[in-house]
Amino acid sequence: RMKRSMEIDKNALAEAEEKLSAMDVTLKMSGTSFKAEKTLNDLQSVWKEVGIPAQDRVEAHRQIGTCLEDTCARKLNDAFDLRSKTEKNIQRQRKKLEATYEALGRPELKKNLNLSKFDGMTMYQQMEALQELQQLIRPTYNSAIERRSNICDEVEALLKSMDPIDEKLSNNLQLLLQCKIVMVREDGLYTV
């Protein structure tokens, strides 16, 4: 709770600093900044020396005036992109957890993924919570994969020690032998 309160305070501080930054640029653009005025004088001097036509200077003036808006628009687009990527990462992490729970035969654990449990959380906090759930289930999942592999090895060793009796094996044992090959998907889960 305290961590959440501190995060809210940090976000409020960041928002205030962003507004101050915008105000500072606005003040500088209005001619109250000595540095901006000196830079503009230097620019005008170079333009005069080179002979830049008035129409080009008007365009440069327009660009200077819209610099803040352009920067804000660019940052807004970046924020939209970040939100979209984060949403996709959250969905990917949810699917990965669902697949893990299913692979373990524990669909009742999907209740941990109910959206209501994530109410009031930022997207980053949701990702963090999902990653914690993944870390909690990972040892169980790895142990299950190892047990499955050991069973396959034992069955294979047992069958090698016996006469060839493939046609006499039950369907379950034949399937188990065919599923000996374990593949790793891109999400890190094992499949057969």
Side-chain angles (χ1 to χ4, degrees):
R1 181 169 274 210
M2 184 176 197
K3 182 179 176 184
R4 177 144 169 76
S5 177
M6 286 179 56
E7 189 168 319
I8 290 171
D9 290 345
K10 285 180 182 178
N11 287 339
L13 177 62
E15 287 176 13
E17 287 174 345
E18 290 158 3
K19 288 179 182 177
L20 280 173
S21 177
M23 292 299 292
D24 186 41
V25 170
T26 303
L27 284 173
K28 287 178 181 178
M29 288 173 49
S30 68
T32 58
S33 168
F34 173 75
K35 186 175 179 182
E37 188 174 332
K38 181 180 178 334
T39 303
L40 182 59
N41 286 338
D42 291 345
L43 179 61
Q44 289 170 334
S45 174
V46 171
W47 282 346
K48 183 177 181 181
E49 184 178 341
V50 173
I52 301 294
Q55 66 223 30
D56 291 347
R57 293 172 73 164
V58 168
E59 176 60 24
H61 180 263
R62 186 195 60 75
Q63 288 174 347
I64 291 168
T66 60
C67 182
L68 175 61
E69 291 123 18
D70 291 345
T71 301
C72 287
R74 214 173 28 258
K75 289 298 177 186
L76 180 61
N77 286 336
D78 291 348
F80 284 146
D81 290 344
L82 178 62
R83 180 176 63 186
S84 176
K85 287 177 185 176
T86 305
E87 285 172 343
K88 287 177 184 174
N89 285 338
I90 288 171
Q91 289 305 315
R92 190 173 320 143
Q93 188 68 30
R94 280 181 180 284
K95 287 179 183 178
K96 186 176 179 180
L97 273 166
E98 287 175 358
T100 301
Y101 294 154
E102 286 294 325
L104 289 171
R106 303 282 312 271
E108 74 277 4
L109 293 177
K110 287 184 183 181
K111 70 178 187 272
N112 293 332
L113 304 177
N114 288 345
L115 293 178
S116 62
K117 293 195 178 222
F118 297 94
D119 283 347
M121 289 183 161
T122 66
M123 290 179 163
Y124 282 156
Q125 290 169 332
Q126 290 178 41
M127 272 302 293
E128 206 172 88
L130 291 169
Q131 288 169 349
E132 287 174 13
L133 288 172
Q134 185 69 38
Q135 288 174 352
L136 288 173
I137 198 68
R138 194 55 143 172
T140 303
Y141 183 79
N142 289 343
S143 177
I145 293 296
E146 186 176 336
R147 280 193 315 269
R148 181 190 173 282
S149 179
N150 289 340
I151 290 170
C152 288
D153 290 344
E154 288 175 15
V155 167
E156 192 173 15
L158 180 64
L159 289 174
K160 283 182 182 178
S161 69
M162 301 171 77
D163 288 331
I165 56 170
D166 285 343
E167 56 278 343
K168 295 179 186 176
L169 292 177
S170 72
N171 288 338
N172 286 341
L173 283 176
Q174 287 179 11
L175 182 61
L176 184 63
L177 288 174
Q178 291 172 358
C179 293
K180 175 74 171 111
I181 300 172
V182 176
M183 302 175 72
V184 179
R185 296 189 323 219
E186 68 180 51
D187 60 10
L189 296 176
Y190 293 94
T191 60
V192 290

